[in-house]
């Protein structure tokens, strides 16, 4: 009799332990190439550190800088019956159909890093940077420098991405409004340092005047500076050319601290904890769009503490 009771108790204990075991959450994470920039490397690392087996997830990752490849990856994840689809879109358009497919299949979608042009009814939440505000903050800072004339080399990111649209839009608007703001050249380097260096070198070779380089990420600013250094053109605080970047890589903020660059706009890559909280809560947040807190850094004011705290 005692043996029967013990056996029954063991069975109940095993059943309770089995019942208490939480369901593993399947997520398909679609991101840009982690080698795209220091920002993207930090963003990918944050995602991988959060969506782990230990934290209750079965995570699969897909990477591309092309919208069509990302959309194909999304379709594959839907077929694989993931619970959540997390997307940092390469481009803003073309997502409606696949998001509708996800919705029909019961797959919940959360956007991170970048916005897309799709009805908000097609996704659970959007944890993103305000790229337009990033651009405005940078352009307002540039206007505060009160230059007699602005002759700007504008190096753009991947065309059609939310980051490019927001950061370009603010500068385009200002140039259109001000007679003393001029674009010397406006070209995409697709976030690539070497291409940015070639763009700036071509302007130098042409003999055109410029006194500002507005690069839409730190890597392209770094490439631009390489061309200036090769031509012995001074840059930074009190020098011939103002250097502006975005993302706040630690090495870039150190360039501000040394006064070699003038401005860097923050783009906060750490969205994973917000997404984790939304998923674990089991319900859509009351505030569908969460804008990451971000700021701009001026070389004349930045401190070592800022570099340590905000550098990625």
């Amino acid at each position: 009799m005692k043996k029967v009771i013990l056996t029954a108790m063991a069975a109940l204990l095993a059943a309770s332990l089995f019942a208490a075991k939480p369901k593993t959450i399947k997520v398909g994470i679609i991101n840009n190439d982690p080698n795209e920039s220091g920002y993207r490397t930090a963003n990918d690392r944050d995602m991988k550190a959060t969506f782990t087996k230990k934290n209750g997830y079965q995570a699969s990752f897909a990477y591309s800088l092309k919208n069509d490849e990302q959309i194909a990856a999304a379709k594959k994840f839907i077929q694989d019956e993931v619970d959540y689809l997390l997307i940092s879109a390469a481009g803003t358009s073309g997502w409606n159909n696949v998001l509708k497919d996800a919705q029909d299949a019961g797959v919940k979608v959360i956007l991170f890093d970048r916005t897309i042009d799709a009805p908000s009814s097609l996704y659970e939440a959007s944890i993103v940077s305000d790229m337009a505000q990033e651009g405005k903050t940078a352009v307002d800072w540039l206007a505060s420098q009160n230059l007699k004339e602005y002759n700007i080399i504008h190096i753009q990111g991947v065309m059609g991405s939310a980051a490019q649209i927001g950061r370009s839009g603010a500068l385009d608007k200002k140039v259109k409004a001000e007679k003393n703001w001029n674009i010397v050249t406006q070209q995409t380097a697709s976030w690539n340092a070497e291409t940015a260096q070639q763009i700036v070198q071509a302007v130098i070779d042409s003999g055109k005047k410029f006194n500002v380089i507005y690069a839409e990420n730190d890597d392209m600013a770094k490439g631009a500076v390489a061309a200036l250094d090769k031509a012995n053109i001074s840059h930074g605080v009190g020098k011939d050319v103002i250097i502006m970047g975005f993302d706040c890589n630690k090495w870039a903020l150190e360039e501000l601290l040394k006064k070699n660059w003038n401005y860097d706009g923050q783009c906060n890559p750490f969205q994973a904890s917000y997404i984790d909280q939304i998923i674990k809560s089991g319900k859509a947040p009351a505030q569908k769009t969460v804008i990451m807190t971000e700021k701009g850094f001026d070389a004349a004011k930045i401190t070592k503490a800022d570099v340590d705290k905000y550098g990625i």
Side-chain angles (χ1 to χ4, degrees):
M1 183 68 177
K2 185 176 180 182
K3 184 176 180 181
V4 171
I5 293 171
L6 288 173
T7 302
M9 289 177 63
L12 286 170
L13 180 60
S16 65
L17 289 172
F18 180 79
K21 186 178 180 181
K23 173 181 177 285
T24 298
I25 303 167
K26 290 180 67 176
V27 294
I29 302 174
I30 298 173
N31 208 341
N32 294 262
D33 183 348
N35 297 312
E36 169 202 78
S37 63
Y39 168 90
R40 189 61 54 189
T41 302
N43 180 254
D44 182 55
R45 187 187 305 122
D46 186 44
M47 289 288 169
K48 285 180 175 175
T50 300
F51 297 102
T52 63
K53 184 176 181 180
K54 184 178 180 180
N55 197 25
Y57 293 99
Q58 178 185 330
S60 300
F61 294 81
Y63 302 99
S64 179
L65 290 172
K66 296 181 179 179
N67 237 26
D68 57 345
E69 292 180 357
Q70 286 193 336
I71 289 170
K75 291 178 179 177
K76 177 66 167 56
F77 284 144
I78 294 168
Q79 291 171 359
D80 292 343
E81 299 182 339
V82 297
D83 299 303
Y84 283 85
L85 198 54
L86 313 182
I87 303 171
S88 176
T92 58
S93 60
W95 285 95
N96 286 27
N97 289 340
V98 74
L99 295 192
K100 184 65 168 60
D101 291 344
Q103 193 173 69
D104 292 343
V107 177
K108 296 179 180 180
V109 174
I110 297 177
L111 308 179
F112 68 95
D113 173 39
R114 296 174 172 182
T115 58
I116 58 174
D117 296 330
S120 60
S121 59
L122 293 178
Y123 52 85
E124 288 284 296
S126 179
I127 317 299
V128 293
S129 293
D130 187 338
M131 304 297 187
Q133 184 58 49
E134 288 180 5
K136 184 179 185 302
T137 300
V139 170
D140 287 348
W141 175 87
L142 184 55
S144 75
Q145 303 308 294
N146 297 315
L147 303 183
K148 184 176 180 181
E149 189 173 58
Y150 291 82
N151 296 305
I152 305 164
I153 294 177
H154 181 192
I155 307 174
Q156 298 170 292
V158 171
M159 302 302 291
S161 66
Q164 179 273 315
I165 291 169
R167 295 169 191 174
S168 290
L171 183 59
D172 287 342
K173 183 178 180 180
K174 186 67 173 178
V175 170
K176 187 176 181 180
E178 304 291 346
K179 291 182 179 179
N180 66 330
W181 286 57
N182 310 297
I183 296 293
V184 176
T185 191
Q186 184 180 61
Q187 297 182 55
T188 179
S190 299
W191 313 123
N192 182 266
E194 289 76 15
T195 307
Q197 182 174 352
Q198 292 165 10
I199 290 169
V200 175
Q201 188 62 56
V203 175
I204 293 170
D205 293 342
S206 74
K208 293 178 182 177
K209 292 192 309 177
F210 63 92
N211 59 353
V212 177
I213 293 178
Y214 182 98
E216 291 182 358
N217 84 342
D218 289 339
D219 289 301
M220 296 189 300
K222 184 178 183 179
V225 166
L228 298 183
D229 288 342
K230 187 176 178 181
N232 293 315
I233 297 172
S234 68
H235 51 83
V237 178
K239 302 297 176 60
D240 292 332
V241 180
I242 288 174
I243 304 297
M244 302 177 67
F246 290 86
D247 289 350
C248 289
N249 286 280
K250 188 169 185 178
W251 57 263
L253 293 182
E254 286 171 347
E255 290 300 310
L256 266 72
L257 196 62
K258 296 173 189 173
K259 306 293 190 285
N260 293 330
W261 291 19
N262 302 77
Y263 176 91
D264 207 28
Q266 186 184 20
C267 191
N268 191 334
F270 303 117
Q271 300 108 22
S273 63
Y274 293 88
I275 299 169
D276 179 47
Q277 289 172 22
I278 291 169
I279 293 175
K280 295 291 179 61
S281 75
K283 58 184 180 180
Q287 184 180 348
K288 180 162 280 196
T289 299
V290 176
I291 303 297
M292 303 298 290
T293 301
E294 296 171 339
K295 61 195 295 185
F297 292 93
D298 184 335
K301 300 176 182 178
I302 196 170
T303 66
K304 180 65 165 58
D306 289 329
V307 175
D308 293 339
K309 181 176 180 179
Y310 296 101
I312 60 174

